[in-house]
Amino acid sequence: MIVEIGHFALVLSLSVALVQSVLPALGARRGDERLMETGTIAATGGFLLIAIAFAALMTAYVTSDFSVLNVFENSNSQQPLLYKFTSTWGNHEGSMLLWVLILAFFGALVALFGRDLPASLKANVLSVQAWILTSFLLFILLTSNPFQRLDPAPMEGQDLNPVLQDIGLAIHPPLLYLGYVGFSVAFSFAIAALIDGRIDAAWARWVRPWTLIAWIFLTLGIAMGSYWAYYELGWGGWWFWDPVENASFMPWLAGTALLHSALVMEKRSALKIWTILLAILTFSLSLLGTFLVRSGVLTSVHAFATDPTRGVFILCILGLFIGGALCLFAWRASALEGGGLFAPISREGALVFNNLFLTTAAATVLVGTLYPLILEVLAGKKISVGAPFFDLTFGPVMLPLLFAVPFGPLLGWKRGDLLGAAQRLYFAAGSALAVLIGVLAYTGGTRILTAFGFALAFWILAGSLTDLFLRAAFLRAGWRTGVSRLLGLPRSAFGTTLAHFGLGVTLLGIVSVSSFQGELITTMAPGQTAEIAGYTLAFDRIEQRPGSNFEAQAAAFSIRRGGVVEANIESSKRFFPARQMTTTESGIWTHGFSQLYVSLGDPSPDNRSIVVRIWWKPLVTLIWLGAVVMAAGGLLSLADRRLRVGAPARRSRAQAAPAGA
């Protein structure tokens, strides 16, 4: 009965979405406030209905209702309870239901917290959100129904993909979807602005918090996915340039450009058309990522769907929204008023420079991701584009941008002084030069690129702190007054510093692990030892151990230095009988920001020894810690009071009312 209620709620939500897609837009066109208000009611009601459907599917998983085809194919009665919950979105149908749940959730948030928005703009935004929601609800109901029944019901399920039976699955997809889908709000604002033909600084202020929320979640989702693949797949790498990894990285790059562009528009009423285009492109790349994962054109641990019907349906959705949005942009962009003028050397110019390089980097990743697919379709040839291509194309594009990061906050609006900004960065330059010389001395002058990489990371780290130091005026006003001035700065200033500082932290981790990691692949038996990075890894024992729904071959190791045991770790291989699959559980010892990583390979023919892969990864955790710091910077900016107040025009009218009265 619960399953039928969920299915009915999903069908009913489609009807509500259809109402929301038409009536508010019609009311905005006619100036009818009652019709426009239906958007708020429909958005909240539609979200509640989809939440009921999702809760019904989750209940079916938790209770192991194998009469539901989706539950039978992706769950097992022996699974731990946590993985019964996460199995809900660990498959194509369930993950798409989570996708539309988050989409409806953002629509409901706009409806409930958009009271300061002009009624016509809010109505059009909710209608555009409903157009997207309607398309994906139709996709689920017609091609990916999660409530399809089996008769007779099987006694046992086929189990969730063992690779996905990890705590990372409980965190990674929801975070990633909150980022993907969150950009739909910026897209809806852009389409609404094109429909109205009006866009101003107030529009940028309204859209920036939603963009920032999506960017924060996408940053955390990418970082969580990277770390999950790092420790779960046993391959020892943190980024593989997998097409589906790229699919999440491209909207992050475009979304970062959108954030900076919206800032220029809010402050100086400039880059209006560019901001609208970036809002469209960012969500378009999110839709492209959905297509790559759901269409079956890719073979990846991330990819779910293999039915070509689903791929064609999503391709039609892509064509409708991306093509339609770009056509509307081409038609209406000329009607938008131009923005303010500024000199090339200015903060606006620095942000334009930032956006050009970010969009170029996103285009580079897009070409490398889609070229093999296009070549296979057109010529029938299969090729792979891997790390060498991206390292040689993406890296050089990002280097000038990374070097320019500390300059941006130090340049003035409208017209800046590049020489003055460079002079204020003397401490950052000195730090970078000292690090450059130190690394060259440490490596004997043999690793010039490594030295420049470390210097660039410290240039960003020190440069990001320079703006706060100068704004507090510690040298001129004294430390006591400087601290008082520092605490009085807006939270967005601290947020910008944290985000840029986190970028430097991530770069420091990437350079360190890429340059100085040690790797050893050897065959070991219990009682044997291996040496790596000054540590002795002793193979203590190996044993068979039963699990809840798997059988594990666990190997225990002790890590010693100078004869003293520093830590004990365990690495294992797990066999899942229901799926007839084996997974690798890596043993990881974290020492400071570095890690010793141990992964088991295949046993020898006589089963007396086993292949052991050992990595020493210096400062590797800084890669993910930097992403967390970047997200924290976004949260701090989001907490700025200026992002929680109404638009300037509306506030000025409210202040003028008493005088007029």
Side-chain angles (χ1 to χ4, degrees):
M1 185 64 179
I2 293 178
V3 173
E4 280 67 33
I5 291 174
H7 193 185
F8 179 73
L10 195 61
V11 174
L12 191 58
S13 69
L14 174 61
S15 303
V16 174
L18 287 170
V19 172
Q20 181 186 340
S21 65
V22 176
L23 293 186
L26 185 61
R29 186 173 182 84
R30 294 181 176 179
D32 189 327
E33 293 185 359
R34 290 181 297 176
L35 284 179
M36 288 190 284
E37 188 60 26
T38 59
T40 299
I41 301 171
T44 52
F47 166 67
L48 291 176
L49 287 170
I50 297 175
I52 291 172
F54 190 81
L57 182 61
M58 183 172 286
T59 301
Y61 269 97
V62 172
T63 59
S64 296
D65 184 357
F66 298 124
S67 67
V68 179
L69 176 62
N70 186 253
V71 179
F72 164 71
E73 292 179 339
N74 299 282
S75 187
N76 187 280
S77 61
Q78 301 301 313
Q79 278 181 204
L81 181 61
L82 173 63
Y83 302 145
K84 289 184 179 181
F85 277 106
T86 60
S87 293
T88 309
W89 56 80
N91 57 88
H92 169 74
E93 293 82 3
S95 64
M96 288 309 304
L97 187 57
L98 177 64
W99 207 98
V100 299
L101 174 67
I102 295 174
L103 181 62
F105 174 66
F106 274 103
L109 288 180
V110 173
L112 295 175
F113 295 99
R115 292 186 295 270
D116 290 331
L117 294 172
S120 61
L121 177 63
K122 179 181 176 181
N124 283 326
V125 168
L126 291 177
S127 285
V128 176
Q129 284 287 110
W131 299 345
I132 304 170
L133 182 61
T134 300
S135 300
F136 280 96
L137 283 173
L138 283 171
F139 171 74
I140 290 176
L141 290 170
L142 296 180
T143 70
S144 308
N145 184 4
F147 298 108
Q148 185 176 344
R149 289 283 198 177
L150 286 175
D151 187 20
M155 294 296 295
E156 188 56 273
Q158 295 180 345
D159 206 1
L160 178 66
N161 184 340
V163 175
L164 303 180
Q165 294 189 36
D166 184 81
I167 187 64
L169 182 66
I171 305 171
H172 168 54
L175 286 177
L176 203 62
Y177 286 2
L178 284 165
Y180 271 160
V181 181
F183 285 123
S184 68
V185 180
F187 175 84
S188 298
F189 268 93
I191 300 302
L194 290 173
I195 293 173
D196 285 343
R198 295 192 306 272
I199 182 172
D200 52 19
W203 179 92
R205 175 166 292 186
W206 286 319
V207 79
R208 200 155 69 91
W210 300 103
T211 306
L212 194 54
I213 290 171
W215 182 86
I216 291 168
F217 281 118
L218 188 57
T219 301
L220 293 174
I222 292 174
M224 182 65 241
S226 170
Y227 190 66
W228 170 72
Y230 167 78
Y231 73 78
E232 176 65 22
L233 300 184
W235 60 297
W238 56 274
W239 192 261
F240 191 64
W241 291 108
D242 179 276
V244 184
E245 289 177 334
N246 297 346
S248 63
F249 190 43
M250 288 185 289
W252 186 87
L253 292 169
T256 305
L258 173 59
L259 272 179
H260 290 84
S261 185
L263 177 64
V264 175
M265 185 176 165
E266 180 186 344
K267 297 289 186 182
R268 304 296 304 170
S269 293
L271 304 184
K272 294 180 179 180
I273 296 176
W274 181 236
T275 305
I276 290 286
L277 180 60
L278 279 175
I280 294 172
L281 292 179
T282 301
F283 184 61
S284 298
L285 290 172
S286 296
L287 288 178
L288 178 63
T290 303
F291 168 74
L292 291 175
V293 178
R294 312 293 159 188
S295 63
V297 299
L298 297 176
T299 301
S300 167
V301 69
H302 307 80
F304 292 122
T306 56
D307 185 356
T309 304
R310 296 169 176 173
V312 172
F313 201 114
I314 295 183
L315 191 60
C316 292
I317 294 176
L318 254 68
L320 175 65
F321 286 102
I322 298 176
L326 292 177
C327 288
L328 180 63
F329 174 80
W331 177 43
R332 299 286 285 175
S334 59
L336 299 177
E337 296 180 1
L341 299 177
F342 53 87
I345 304 300
S346 62
R347 188 173 298 189
E348 296 96 325
L351 292 172
V352 170
F353 178 86
N354 166 85
N355 288 357
L356 288 175
F357 275 86
L358 282 173
T359 51
T360 302
T364 299
V365 178
L366 179 65
V367 170
T369 303
L370 295 186
Y371 178 73
L373 304 178
I374 296 173
L375 185 65
E376 183 177 356
V377 171
L378 297 180
K381 298 180 180 178
K382 288 190 176 183
I383 65 169
S384 61
V385 175
F389 168 82
F390 293 104
D391 292 342
L392 291 174
T393 55
F394 180 81
V397 170
M398 292 300 292
L399 284 177
L401 175 60
L402 293 173
F403 178 77
V405 165
F407 283 96
L410 300 180
L411 293 172
W413 293 104
K414 197 171 183 179
R415 183 179 299 276
D417 181 3
L418 185 60
L419 180 59
Q423 290 174 341
R424 290 191 289 273
L425 287 167
Y426 66 90
F427 176 75
S431 301
L433 182 61
V435 170
L436 176 67
I437 296 172
V439 174
L440 286 175
Y442 176 76
T443 59
T446 59
R447 297 196 176 185
I448 298 177
L449 291 180
T450 297
F452 275 102
F454 276 102
L456 182 60
F458 275 87
W459 163 257
I460 296 174
L461 290 171
S464 63
L465 299 174
T466 301
D467 181 49
L468 288 182
F469 184 83
L470 293 175
R471 291 176 71 171
F474 283 107
L475 297 180
R476 186 176 68 251
W479 285 97
R480 180 173 298 180
T481 304
V483 170
S484 178
R485 289 169 61 96
L486 183 66
L487 296 178
L489 291 176
R491 293 174 183 173
S492 60
F494 290 98
T496 299
T497 297
L498 262 185
H500 290 173
F501 191 86
L503 179 62
V505 171
T506 294
L507 179 61
L508 184 61
I510 292 173
V511 174
S512 178
V513 76
S514 300
S515 302
F516 295 118
Q517 78 169 359
E519 180 179 357
L520 175 64
I521 302 177
T522 184
T523 301
M524 298 181 68
Q528 293 183 339
T529 60
E531 304 287 335
I532 186 170
Y535 291 94
T536 300
L537 184 72
F539 191 171
D540 296 331
R541 64 186 180 278
I542 188 168
E543 60 186 18
Q544 298 293 327
R545 187 180 303 162
S548 56
N549 60 331
F550 61 85
E551 299 172 0
Q553 184 184 41
F557 298 89
S558 57
I559 302 170
R560 304 171 186 175
R561 188 164 193 170
V564 178
V565 176
E566 297 276 346
N568 294 288
I569 61 173
E570 183 177 283
S571 183
S572 65
K573 296 181 76 70
R574 295 178 178 179
F575 176 71
F576 292 78
R579 284 271 182 166
Q580 293 293 301
M581 285 182 60
T582 301
T583 64
T584 298
E585 300 294 319
S586 303
I588 299 175
W589 174 55
T590 302
H591 181 63
F593 296 114
S594 304
Q595 290 185 334
L596 187 67
Y597 184 108
V598 181
S599 175
L600 298 183
D602 296 326
S604 62
D606 58 5
N607 285 324
R608 294 182 179 179
S609 59
I610 191 169
V611 174
V612 180
R613 298 177 175 87
I614 312 165
W615 287 271
W616 170 249
K617 295 183 173 292
L619 304 184
V620 67
T621 58
L622 292 183
I623 296 173
W624 306 292
L625 179 61
V628 173
V629 173
M630 282 189 271
L635 283 173
L636 204 55
S637 296
L638 193 63
D640 194 306
R641 180 179 176 275
R642 292 176 298 177
L643 290 183
R644 301 197 304 272
V645 297
R650 293 173 63 83
R651 190 167 64 253
S652 62
R653 288 198 299 269
Q655 292 171 349

